[in-house]
Amino acid sequence: MQTRIVTLLLFVLVSFVPSTAQTTIPKPEEVLGFTPGDDRKLASWSQVIDYFEKLDRASDRVTFQTLGQTSMNQPFVMATISAPANLARLDELRKIQDQLADPRTLGPLATRDRKAAELIRQGKTIVLITCGIHSTEVGSYLSSMLIAQRLASSTDADVQKILDNTIILLVPSLNPDGVDIVKNWYDKTLGTPFEGTDPPELYHKYTGHDNNRDWYAFTQVETQLTVDKIHNVWHPQIVHDIHQQGAFGSRLFLPPYMPPVEPNVPKAIVQAYTELGNFMAAEMRVKGFQGITTNSTYDAWSPARAYSHYHAGARMLSETASARIASPMTLKFDELRSREGYDPQKESPQFGPVWRGGEWHLSDITKYMTTAAFFLLDHAAQNREQWLRRFYAVGKEAVRPRRPGELYGFLIERSGNTEALLSILRRGGVEVEAPKPGTIFKLGNRALPQGTQLVRMDQPYAAFAKTLLEVQRYPNLRDDAGHPIAPYDVTAHTLPLLMDVGVHPVKAPFRPARISGISEIVGVVRNWKPVATADLAAIYRSSVPSHDEGWTRWIMDSNNIPFGVLTDKELRAGITVFKSSPGVTGKYYVLLIPDQPARTLLEGYRSGAMPPELTGGLGPEGVRHLRDFVETGGTLVFLNRASNFAIEQFKLPLRNVVAGLPRTDFYVPGSILRIELDTTHPIASGMPKETIAWAEDSPVFEVTNDPNATVPASNVRVIASYSADKNPLLSGWLLGGDLIKGKAALVEVKMGKGRVILFGFRPQYRAQSLATYPLFFNALSSK
Ligand SMILES: [Zn+2]
């Protein structure tokens, strides 16, 4: 880490000595022993740090700092790259950003535009480049060194223009732990039949690929460091997020994104990513790059991937085709496969020119990535004033007083999870106010509790608050054949529902007496807190990594609940680890099977796909041992899709009524539904009568009188069900909702001396659905 004082000193020294420094800039191969992009070569995280430290020492254009520690205690780092004259006045340039970001700081309305024009003249385009959040997409952290080296060493006029007009914040990896997880697996399997496979573990300690779904919940330390120490400090106008996609589609995706765009993303931001993405694609095509797609596959629906869209910055996702980690592959033209919005075998407005297939090396990936990054930087430099003007315009629109009839803000009631919700908003830069003492807000006849907070819409990051506080109405998108077009990820992120906090939109002009509730979604204030009563629970870890398993471990760790982990091998081998009831030898009362497809649980990796010790799943022996565990008194808890495994393997008197239905009949791709609870059951004890269910490819249960079932229907108790008459959908997208009315969403089945609990939803979804944490923790309780 280089302090600012040292940097300043260095700058002073360098400016007195006629500079030969640029000729001694280290090349990555001099530090790593290979060039990033060479076949079958990956750098370790310590090598990456070593390279950037050497670059920092050699170059007056680069400063390098450690921002904090990762989940596995590695340094989380960033390089700041610009012209030496800019690096010498970073504080001043950052202050310009602060003022343009929040036009209220520019004084009286009448003179703001004039002051802003002066700041725009002086300011720089701030470009954040983030690499490597997905660790198997190895091209980007390797490219970060190539990008930095060129910026540090080049004497080209275009690079000089970039350095003069922009400040580049370069994060070599948003997930440093994963760099080594992937490298270790890759090196271990190099030269074996398993070379180029993904590692059989999550490449982030808890979240794996879902680390890029955390940009509003901010649960993980890497997300927190990026938001607190980069986004909120610098308010970048452009965030270039460098990824890789599958091997068989386009060679490169660039924005614009395909529909839908979430309605709170400012139009100016949509224009920005459209203009810049089209510019990059056009320039790359001129240079002869093939297989580029825009306006396809990736949508702009969720703040979970796009913090910047709600903070006046354009997220510039790029997705380059993968190889087999660092190993090359050869693709035939007819192996290329269509994805949403284009066919890689046909030129179209969204795709072209066609790539004819052939060899695809890691060096192709780094070449696409570095070329795209420099075109992005060219645009940022050449259009510096335009980027800053647009940035100011977004802030100006955000802070303008709301006109009568417009949304004025949201009132947020004080209850058990309110602080969790408010801390998310505050971390996202949202100002939360306490209304004047003595103000009483009335919802019908009910006065809102003391401590109700107000979030106004006339503030810089109101769009971030609004998207998280309101209900999502995902558009009913269909292709030409009438089939639903799948969202890129999920469709809902309404925090008041996920966290069960009373939130009420209020219109301008704001009159406390006249508020109405969004009682459609949040009816009453509930003052319970999740109770951590789990004891002696174990979590099953499949050889095939499961995000839900990782999130579950995070929830247990962050609530200081001890737990065990059991693998396929252990469950196949035997059952002595289990404790069937208090006082009996063994270790666990409860075993949790996280969300995973039934077939993956049973079969795991297919034979030959991975080393033999990792294949085969739970298998018939595992099933038998699980059944023994329940029958001798254990509790088995299945989450979401895993419930299908229990129904099939234990022959339970239950049917998943939506199994096998085409999407045209039933579809719930990540939405918030309404369920009703039997609060006389211990699992729902203390809960409200009505709550939410996070449904995502979820089963829906019906009790059957199947004579072949191992237990009678009378052994089943329904704990939660979908209302017989109300629309189940609260936020997001649901097709075929009528099919699930009156059906069960959570059941308990007695089997022998024990029981099986089946969740038809994800009660601890991505550590966000605090509303249903009590159900989750109560199910893990041995009582
Ligand atoms: Zn990715």
Side-chain angles (χ1 to χ4, degrees), residues 134 137 209 243-244 319:
H134 293 150
E137 303 165 10
H209 190 272
H243 285 248
Q244 285 171 225
E319 296 269 1

Side-chain angles (χ1 to χ4, degrees), residues 23 64 66 109 269 419 424 507 516 744 776:
T23 60
F64 183 63
T66 298
L109 213 52
I269 297 299
E419 207 38 57
I424 285 175
K507 292 210 162 147
S516 62
F776 171 77

Side-chain angles (χ1 to χ4, degrees), residues 439-768:
T439 314
I440 292 172
F441 304 104
K442 281 225 162 165
L443 182 64
N445 288 328
R446 182 171 72 88
L448 301 192
Q450 286 296 309
T452 293
Q453 304 282 303
L454 173 66
V455 171
R456 283 163 49 172
M457 287 296 102
D458 54 347
Q459 58 169 306
Y461 307 122
F464 183 68
K466 184 165 173 282
T467 190
L468 292 177
L469 294 176
E470 71 184 12
V471 167
Q472 280 73 55
R473 304 278 176 220
Y474 193 85
N476 192 1
L477 298 176
R478 305 289 177 133
D479 64 16
D480 293 341
H483 297 117
I485 298 174
Y488 182 68
D489 187 44
V490 300
T491 65
H493 44 265
T494 310
L495 292 184
L497 291 171
L498 286 166
M499 299 188 164
D500 193 12
V501 174
V503 171
H504 312 277
V506 287
K507 292 210 162 147
F510 179 45
R511 293 200 189 89
R514 282 216 197 154
I515 71 159
S516 62
I518 34 179
S519 54
E520 170 65 16
I521 52 169
V522 183
V524 286
V525 187
R526 296 150 190 164
N527 282 310
W528 46 259
K529 275 191 175 177
V531 189
T533 52
D535 52 359
L536 295 171
I539 299 171
Y540 164 70
R541 181 187 292 164
S542 166
S543 302
V544 184
S546 151
H547 297 112
D548 199 43
E549 183 268 344
W551 283 113
T552 306
R553 275 188 290 108
W554 185 81
I555 289 162
M556 301 293 265
D557 279 350
S558 59
N559 283 283
N560 297 312
I561 301 169
F563 62 93
V565 170
L566 293 171
T567 62
D568 287 323
K569 197 177 156 200
E570 287 165 303
L571 288 173
R572 284 197 303 250
I575 220 76
T576 53
V577 288
F578 293 124
K579 183 171 190 172
S580 55
S581 59
V584 178
T585 313
K587 272 167 88 176
Y588 303 113
Y589 298 114
V590 185
L591 175 58
L592 177 85
I593 315 283
D595 176 43
Q596 213 160 8
R599 188 163 168 183
T600 307
L601 292 170
L602 185 66
E603 298 174 9
Y605 289 115
R606 65 181 164 73
S607 172
M610 287 294 254
E613 66 272 19
L614 294 169
T615 60
L618 286 165
E621 307 97 319
V623 171
R624 184 161 52 81
H625 290 138
L626 288 173
R627 191 188 295 117
D628 289 347
F629 167 63
V630 177
E631 289 182 338
T632 54
T635 297
L636 257 183
V637 181
F638 291 86
L639 300 184
N640 207 44
R641 292 172 299 173
S643 295
N644 293 319
F645 172 91
I647 295 173
E648 291 159 19
Q649 298 304 318
F650 300 156
K651 293 191 172 52
L652 301 177
L654 290 164
R655 190 174 77 90
N656 172 9
V657 300
V658 298
L661 292 180
R663 285 179 179 176
T664 38
D665 291 356
F666 182 80
Y667 193 38
V668 62
S671 304
I672 303 171
L673 306 186
R674 177 204 324 264
I675 53 172
E676 295 173 351
L677 294 172
D678 174 359
T679 55
T680 65
H681 190 281
I683 285 179
S685 169
M687 289 282 287
K689 286 273 182 210
E690 201 176 85
T691 188
I692 60 135
W694 178 268
E696 184 178 350
D697 301 324
S698 296
V700 178
F701 311 120
E702 183 177 65
V703 184
T704 66
N705 284 309
D706 182 354
N708 296 320
T710 48
V711 298
S714 57
N715 280 27
V716 180
R717 180 154 169 202
V718 173
I719 305 166
S721 50
Y722 294 102
S723 167
D725 43 19
K726 291 181 193 162
N727 179 1
L729 181 64
L730 291 173
S731 187
W733 196 20
L734 171 68
L735 297 176
D738 284 346
L739 289 173
I740 66 173
K741 283 182 178 172
K743 307 293 185 201
L746 168 61
V747 299
E748 177 191 65
V749 186
K750 301 268 193 220
M751 242 174 83
K753 293 180 184 160
R755 59 183 185 156
V756 179
I757 295 161
L758 306 183
F759 281 88
F761 53 96
R762 295 175 63 182
Q764 64 348 343
Y765 160 73
R766 291 179 180 165
Q768 295 175 21

Side-chain angles (χ1 to χ4, degrees), residues 130-134 137-145 147 171-172 242-244 362 365-366 369:
T130 53
C131 304
I133 193 167
H134 293 150
E137 303 165 10
V138 294
S140 66
Y141 87 99
L142 294 167
S143 292
S144 75
M145 292 179 274
I147 293 167
V171 180
I242 308 180
H243 285 248
Q244 285 171 225
L362 185 53
I365 298 171
T366 54
M369 286 177 171

Side-chain angles (χ1 to χ4, degrees), residues 252-256 277-278 281 285 292-296 341-342 349-351:
L252 176 67
F253 163 86
L254 290 169
N278 286 336
R285 284 167 180 147
I292 300 174
T293 181
T294 57
N295 195 13
S296 64
Y342 72 95
Q350 284 81 37
F351 180 80

Side-chain angles (χ1 to χ4, degrees), residues 132-137 140 203 209 211-213 241-245 298 315 317-319 488:
I133 193 167
H134 293 150
S135 307
T136 49
E137 303 165 10
S140 66
Y203 52 60
H209 190 272
N211 58 0
N212 199 32
R213 304 290 182 267
D241 195 22
I242 308 180
H243 285 248
Q244 285 171 225
Q245 56 183 346
Y298 303 92
R315 176 183 186 232
L317 173 70
S318 76
E319 296 269 1
Y488 182 68

